[in-house]
Amino acid sequence: GAPLREEDDVEPPTDYGKSKRSMERLIVQLSQEPGAPSMVSMRIANVAGADSLFANMKPGGSLRLDRFADGQGPLRSYVAPDDLARAIVALVLAKDIEGPINIAAPAVTAMYDLALAVGCQVAWQDAPPQAIASVSLNTSKLARILPLSDRSSDASYLVNSARRGGVWP
């Protein structure tokens, strides 16, 4: 559906997601106690070079991607390692940001485009019924302290950032 906003009250389907959501709620609760410092929790998108897609991509290699009924592959929110570092600095310096904040490029990236950017061959498979075509984070809160350009979701930009940072070959 629509990009997930920080204030959306969604219940994650996995135990991992539920435990993260529980932690966020505790942080918000603790920050409301008298004398408590302001607190931020980062909801970080897939970090280019550090997610399962990059772990399976090799230049000249091949990988399998789900293909959905519309003929497209998965779309995901990503963040380049360079931009993640800049976001952390911006959060440290920010005076008016509290609670959860989404850290991602402003637009989703096609996993297929990432595979092409590294020279991978893609073998398509029908997406299983539980597969989600698009997972995106709304970044309007992040844009108040760190506006990222449209190129930050470009596959080549993400791959080059992962390489520059030594996160991915």
Side-chain angles (χ1 to χ4, degrees), residues 10-23:
V10 296
E11 285 303 320
T14 65
D15 288 340
Y16 174 73
K18 288 176 184 175
S19 66
K20 288 181 74 172
R21 183 70 178 126
S22 178
M23 178 226 23

Side-chain angles (χ1 to χ4, degrees), residues 35-58:
S38 62
M39 297 183 202
V40 173
S41 57
M42 295 183 295
R43 291 182 184 168
I44 303 172
N46 293 333
V47 178
D51 74 329
S52 61
L53 178 65
F54 276 82
N56 289 296
M57 288 193 305
K58 306 275 183 283

Side-chain angles (χ1 to χ4, degrees), residues 143-154:
R144 292 184 358 220
I145 61 167
L146 180 67
L148 295 175
S149 73
D150 290 339
R151 76 181 175 104
S152 64
S153 58
D154 178 75

Side-chain angles (χ1 to χ4, degrees), residues 53 57 63-68 72-74 110-116 121-127:
L53 178 65
M57 288 193 305
L63 72 121
R64 297 180 75 72
L65 286 178
D66 289 341
R67 179 177 281 162
F68 295 90
Q72 300 300 310
M111 289 183 162
Y112 177 73
D113 291 344
L114 288 166
L116 290 181
Q121 299 296 317
V122 173
W124 293 104
Q125 64 186 21
D126 290 338

Side-chain angles (χ1 to χ4, degrees), residues 5-166:
R5 299 172 310 151
E6 292 88 350
E7 59 272 9
D8 290 342
D9 193 24
V10 296
E11 285 303 320
T14 65
D15 288 340
Y16 174 73
K18 288 176 184 175
S19 66
K20 288 181 74 172
R21 183 70 178 126
S22 178
M23 178 226 23
E24 283 182 357
R25 288 179 174 148
L26 180 60
I27 288 172
V28 169
Q29 180 184 351
L30 291 172
S31 70
Q32 293 172 349
E33 292 183 7
S38 62
M39 297 183 202
V40 173
S41 57
M42 295 183 295
R43 291 182 184 168
I44 303 172
N46 293 333
V47 178
D51 74 329
S52 61
L53 178 65
F54 276 82
N56 289 296
M57 288 193 305
K58 306 275 183 283
S62 65
L63 72 121
R64 297 180 75 72
L65 286 178
D66 289 341
R67 179 177 281 162
F68 295 90
D70 65 359
Q72 300 300 310
L75 303 171
R76 297 292 184 263
S77 281
Y78 270 86
V79 64
D82 297 345
D83 292 336
L84 175 57
R86 291 177 38 220
I88 292 169
V89 170
L91 284 169
V92 168
L93 299 174
K95 304 283 186 236
D96 63 342
I97 299 289
E98 293 183 334
I101 184 166
N102 294 332
I103 308 295
V108 292
T109 302
M111 289 183 162
Y112 177 73
D113 291 344
L114 288 166
L116 290 181
V118 300
C120 253
Q121 299 296 317
V122 173
W124 293 104
Q125 64 186 21
D126 290 338
Q130 72 275 14
I132 301 171
S134 181
V135 177
S136 63
L137 299 176
N138 178 301
T139 58
S140 57
K141 189 173 179 181
L142 175 65
R144 292 184 358 220
I145 61 167
L146 180 67
L148 295 175
S149 73
D150 290 339
R151 76 181 175 104
S152 64
S153 58
D154 178 75
S156 295
Y157 175 83
L158 291 164
V159 168
N160 289 334
S161 177
R163 285 180 172 146
R164 269 192 315 275

